Amino acid sequence: MKHLISPLDLSVEELDHILSLGQEIMKNPEKYSHICEGKKLATLFYEPSTRTRLSFEAAMLNLGGKVLGFSSADSSSAAKGESVADTIRVISSYADICAMRHPKEGAPTVAAMYSEIPVINAGDGGHNHPTQTLTDLITIKSLMGRLDNITVGMCGDLKFGRTVHSLINAMVRYPRVRFVLVSPNELKIPDYLRKEVLDAERIDYIETNQLEKYMPDLDILYMTRVQRERFFNEEDYIRLKDSFILDASKMQYAKKNMYVLHPLPRVNEISTEVDNDPRAVYFKQAKMGVYVRMALIMNLLELD
Ligand code: NCD
């Protein structure tokens, strides 16, 4: 049985297959509208979410399947002290596949050990978020026609932002991908990513706190929110939250064909005046998340 816990659980070939299937579904959604009839997806969300949970549910409904689940830890038996291992053993007999979001890093890995159905990590603490990565990759591939030979700027909270960690892990496997990592000093990428991934794979990257300076080099700018819920104290959050705000004046430095992505939710880091710029694609990106999750569900249920 297959699970998706880290983006590295998929080989580049499997990843490309899921992205192509997602693009095919996008073109012809009707063709896939009955493929999961009789199947159920459980969404086990111990942490807040809008897009990820609802896009999983929309994906399963679009495939003709059904959904069940809970959307906060307090409304599940976790509030009574039940372990993830016990919960998943039970859910295994209620559903055919599940998506789990949890504040503890590694919780979906534990679930996969005890599960009899495929487990999808829908975000674990500050660690990984592989289905957001699928969403990011299908967006980049659809807009640029490729995933290699790209300069990707990542800006904001690179320390706690799990979407950043997963996207770096996935993209380093494509040739000639360069990273410009823009953050305040305190919010730089974790050491393990720098040493074990970027340095170990000899990836071309720089770490900086100057967004404007590198703006003209970028093909993609991946903006992220400062992850308030993972800070140890509120003062640090308040001091750092508005370190980088993308606005129309900064967009003037960018290429005409650069794209701005954001996993959303946005707080302050992209001024709403940027929304009407044709290079702002974050709402389009959220829409593509449904198609790629449809492809993933089909793949894990071996219906592709
Ligand atoms: C992201 C997450 O949950 O990590 N949101 C999402 O799934 N689209 C990003 C975030 O919360 O900042």
Side-chain angles (χ1 to χ4, degrees):
M1 195 195 338
K2 285 200 282 185
H3 305 285
L4 180 64
I5 305 300
S6 140
L8 300 178
D9 293 344
L10 297 168
S11 66
V12 174
E13 290 70 31
E14 286 170 318
L15 195 57
D16 288 339
H17 163 70
I18 290 172
L19 299 179
S20 304
L21 180 58
Q23 288 180 305
E24 165 63 30
I25 297 171
M26 204 183 321
K27 276 191 238 135
N28 196 355
E30 263 307 299
K31 188 176 156 196
Y32 298 90
S33 60
H34 299 288
I35 214 150
C36 281
E37 257 164 24
K39 303 272 184 211
K40 281 174 278 181
L41 164 82
T43 50
L44 317 178
F45 276 59
Y46 295 83
E47 227 192 20
S49 166
T50 302
R51 265 150 302 272
T52 306
R53 186 171 60 84
L54 296 184
S55 65
F56 262 116
E57 297 190 357
M60 192 52 158
L61 295 172
N62 289 347
L63 292 167
K66 294 200 163 73
V67 297
L68 66 163
F70 54 84
S71 56
S72 76
D74 355 317
S75 67
S76 78
S77 280
K80 301 180 188 167
E82 187 174 48
S83 68
V84 162
D86 282 2
T87 304
I88 196 70
R89 278 189 179 119
V90 174
I91 304 292
S92 290
S93 58
Y94 297 167
D96 302 282
I97 183 165
C98 79
M100 173 182 283
R101 167 167 293 189
H102 204 286
K104 284 212 185 104
E105 310 189 345
T109 309
V110 173
M113 283 160 54
Y114 293 92
S115 180
E116 285 162 31
I117 58 174
V119 176
I120 303 168
N121 177 4
D124 64 327
H127 193 213
N128 268 317
H129 193 347
T131 63
Q132 182 62 47
T133 298
L134 292 176
T135 303
D136 304 337
L137 295 179
I138 197 171
T139 307
I140 298 172
K141 197 174 172 193
S142 300
L143 293 166
M144 302 196 55
R146 62 174 200 273
L147 290 170
D148 59 351
N149 194 20
I150 298 181
T151 301
V152 184
M154 294 184 151
C155 178
D157 186 346
L158 310 186
K159 178 178 182 185
F160 296 115
R162 56 194 173 194
T163 63
V164 168
H165 307 156
S166 285
L167 188 57
I168 291 178
N169 265 311
M171 287 204 81
V172 294
R173 299 188 293 171
Y174 292 91
R176 297 181 307 285
V177 171
R178 296 165 294 275
F179 294 102
V180 177
L181 303 171
V182 188
S183 72
N185 253 335
E186 290 97 322
L187 298 180
K188 285 171 146 183
I189 54 162
D191 257 358
Y192 79 89
L193 258 186
R194 185 179 304 107
K195 293 196 182 113
E196 292 163 33
V197 182
L198 296 173
D199 290 340
E201 312 270 336
R202 297 173 184 276
I203 304 298
D204 183 354
Y205 74 98
I206 42 167
E207 298 186 271
T208 175
N209 53 16
Q210 291 174 281
L211 179 57
E212 284 95 328
K213 179 173 170 197
Y214 292 98
M215 201 73 164
D217 301 340
L218 307 180
D219 299 307
I220 297 289
L221 174 56
Y222 193 88
M223 292 297 296
T224 62
R225 129 189 113 87
V226 175
Q227 307 274 303
R228 179 183 203 160
E229 66 277 33
R230 310 215 193 279
F231 272 70
F232 297 111
N233 66 69
E234 186 72 3
E235 296 87 82
D236 284 349
Y237 169 72
I238 290 168
R239 186 168 51 81
L240 294 168
K241 73 184 171 70
D242 292 329
S243 303
F244 297 96
I245 297 179
L246 183 66
D247 56 15
S249 71
K250 294 201 182 83
M251 285 298 285
Q252 287 180 354
Y253 297 103
K255 288 182 191 168
K256 293 273 168 286
N257 57 353
M258 183 198 79
Y259 294 106
V260 183
L261 277 70
H262 190 306
L264 304 177
R266 149 180 59 187
V267 185
N268 245 345
E269 59 282 354
I270 303 181
S271 158
T272 51
E273 67 189 16
V274 177
D275 296 358
N276 293 327
D277 189 307
R279 295 168 291 183
V281 296
Y282 26 92
F283 294 114
K284 209 180 264 180
Q285 179 186 359
K287 186 172 173 186
M288 293 203 194
V290 176
Y291 300 113
V292 84
R293 287 185 174 95
M294 289 168 77
L296 176 68
I297 291 169
M298 283 175 60
N299 179 260
L300 293 177
L301 291 176
E302 299 179 0
L303 297 169
D304 52 344

Short mmCIF file of all heavy atoms in Angstrom, two decimals, residues 51-52 101 129 132 162-163 225 227 229 263-265, ligand 1:
data_model
loop_
_atom_site.label_atom_id
_atom_site.label_comp_id
_atom_site.label_asym_id
_atom_site.label_seq_id
_atom_site.Cartn_x
_atom_site.Cartn_y
_atom_site.Cartn_z
N ARG A 51 -8.25 25.65 2.50
CA ARG A 51 -8.00 25.11 1.16
C ARG A 51 -7.68 23.62 1.16
O ARG A 51 -8.20 22.87 0.36
CB ARG A 51 -6.78 25.78 0.50
CG ARG A 51 -7.13 26.92 -0.40
CD ARG A 51 -5.99 27.88 -0.37
NE ARG A 51 -5.78 28.30 0.99
CZ ARG A 51 -6.43 29.33 1.55
NH1 ARG A 51 -7.25 30.04 0.84
NH2 ARG A 51 -6.24 29.65 2.81
N THR A 52 -6.78 23.21 2.04
CA THR A 52 -6.32 21.83 1.92
C THR A 52 -7.47 20.86 2.18
O THR A 52 -7.72 19.96 1.39
CB THR A 52 -5.14 21.57 2.88
OG1 THR A 52 -4.15 22.56 2.61
CG2 THR A 52 -4.54 20.20 2.65
N ARG A 101 -3.95 16.17 8.73
CA ARG A 101 -3.14 17.34 9.09
C ARG A 101 -2.99 17.33 10.60
O ARG A 101 -3.95 17.10 11.33
CB ARG A 101 -3.82 18.63 8.66
CG ARG A 101 -3.18 19.85 9.30
CD ARG A 101 -3.60 21.13 8.67
NE ARG A 101 -3.11 21.26 7.31
CZ ARG A 101 -3.19 22.37 6.59
NH1 ARG A 101 -3.76 23.44 7.09
NH2 ARG A 101 -2.72 22.41 5.36
N HIS A 129 4.57 19.30 3.61
CA HIS A 129 3.21 19.52 3.10
C HIS A 129 3.22 19.10 1.62
O HIS A 129 3.12 19.92 0.73
CB HIS A 129 2.84 20.99 3.27
CG HIS A 129 1.39 21.31 3.09
ND1 HIS A 129 0.49 20.42 2.52
CD2 HIS A 129 0.68 22.43 3.39
CE1 HIS A 129 -0.70 21.00 2.49
NE2 HIS A 129 -0.62 22.21 3.01
N GLN A 132 0.62 20.33 -1.01
CA GLN A 132 0.80 21.73 -1.44
C GLN A 132 1.90 21.77 -2.49
O GLN A 132 1.81 22.50 -3.48
CB GLN A 132 1.14 22.63 -0.24
CG GLN A 132 1.29 24.10 -0.62
CD GLN A 132 0.02 24.71 -1.19
OE1 GLN A 132 -1.05 24.53 -0.65
NE2 GLN A 132 0.12 25.42 -2.31
N ARG A 162 6.32 24.95 6.19
CA ARG A 162 6.47 23.57 5.70
C ARG A 162 6.31 23.48 4.18
O ARG A 162 6.89 22.61 3.54
CB ARG A 162 5.46 22.66 6.40
CG ARG A 162 4.01 23.12 6.24
CD ARG A 162 3.11 22.38 7.22
NE ARG A 162 1.76 22.91 7.21
CZ ARG A 162 0.85 22.63 8.14
NH1 ARG A 162 1.15 21.84 9.15
NH2 ARG A 162 -0.37 23.12 8.09
N THR A 163 5.55 24.42 3.59
CA THR A 163 5.37 24.36 2.13
C THR A 163 6.71 24.63 1.44
O THR A 163 7.00 24.05 0.40
CB THR A 163 4.32 25.38 1.65
OG1 THR A 163 4.78 26.69 1.94
CG2 THR A 163 2.98 25.15 2.31
N ARG A 225 3.58 33.33 4.31
CA ARG A 225 3.18 34.08 5.51
C ARG A 225 4.13 33.72 6.66
O ARG A 225 4.64 32.60 6.71
CB ARG A 225 1.72 33.70 5.78
CG ARG A 225 1.34 33.26 7.14
CD ARG A 225 -0.09 32.70 7.16
NE ARG A 225 -0.06 31.26 7.43
CZ ARG A 225 -0.05 30.73 8.66
NH1 ARG A 225 -0.06 31.50 9.72
NH2 ARG A 225 -0.01 29.42 8.82
N GLN A 227 4.66 32.29 10.10
CA GLN A 227 3.82 31.26 10.72
C GLN A 227 3.63 31.52 12.21
O GLN A 227 4.27 30.88 13.06
CB GLN A 227 4.46 29.88 10.50
CG GLN A 227 4.77 29.57 9.04
CD GLN A 227 3.58 28.98 8.31
OE1 GLN A 227 3.04 27.97 8.72
NE2 GLN A 227 3.16 29.62 7.22
N GLU A 229 1.62 30.68 14.51
CA GLU A 229 1.31 29.60 15.46
C GLU A 229 2.54 28.77 15.83
O GLU A 229 2.49 27.98 16.77
CB GLU A 229 0.18 28.70 14.91
CG GLU A 229 0.49 27.89 13.66
CD GLU A 229 0.34 28.64 12.32
OE1 GLU A 229 0.60 29.87 12.27
OE2 GLU A 229 0.00 27.99 11.33
N PRO A 263 1.03 29.82 -1.09
CA PRO A 263 0.17 28.68 -0.74
C PRO A 263 -1.16 29.14 -0.13
O PRO A 263 -2.11 28.36 -0.10
CB PRO A 263 1.00 27.89 0.28
CG PRO A 263 1.97 28.87 0.84
CD PRO A 263 2.25 29.87 -0.25
N LEU A 264 -1.21 30.39 0.35
CA LEU A 264 -2.38 30.95 1.05
C LEU A 264 -2.60 30.18 2.36
O LEU A 264 -2.25 29.02 2.42
CB LEU A 264 -3.63 30.93 0.16
CG LEU A 264 -3.52 31.65 -1.19
CD1 LEU A 264 -4.83 31.49 -1.97
CD2 LEU A 264 -3.20 33.13 -0.99
N PRO A 265 -3.11 30.72 3.39
CA PRO A 265 -3.68 32.06 3.50
C PRO A 265 -2.64 33.18 3.49
O PRO A 265 -1.56 33.04 4.06
CB PRO A 265 -4.40 32.01 4.85
CG PRO A 265 -3.62 31.03 5.67
CD PRO A 265 -3.15 30.00 4.68
C1 NCD B 1 -0.13 26.32 4.14
C2 NCD B 1 0.04 25.37 5.31
O1 NCD B 1 -0.94 24.94 5.91
O2 NCD B 1 1.19 25.05 5.58
N1 NCD B 1 -1.48 26.49 3.79
C3 NCD B 1 -2.02 25.64 2.88
O3 NCD B 1 -2.11 24.46 3.09
N2 NCD B 1 -2.37 26.16 1.69
C4 NCD B 1 0.56 27.61 4.30
C5 NCD B 1 0.31 28.41 5.54
O4 NCD B 1 -0.49 28.05 6.41
O5 NCD B 1 0.92 29.48 5.63
#
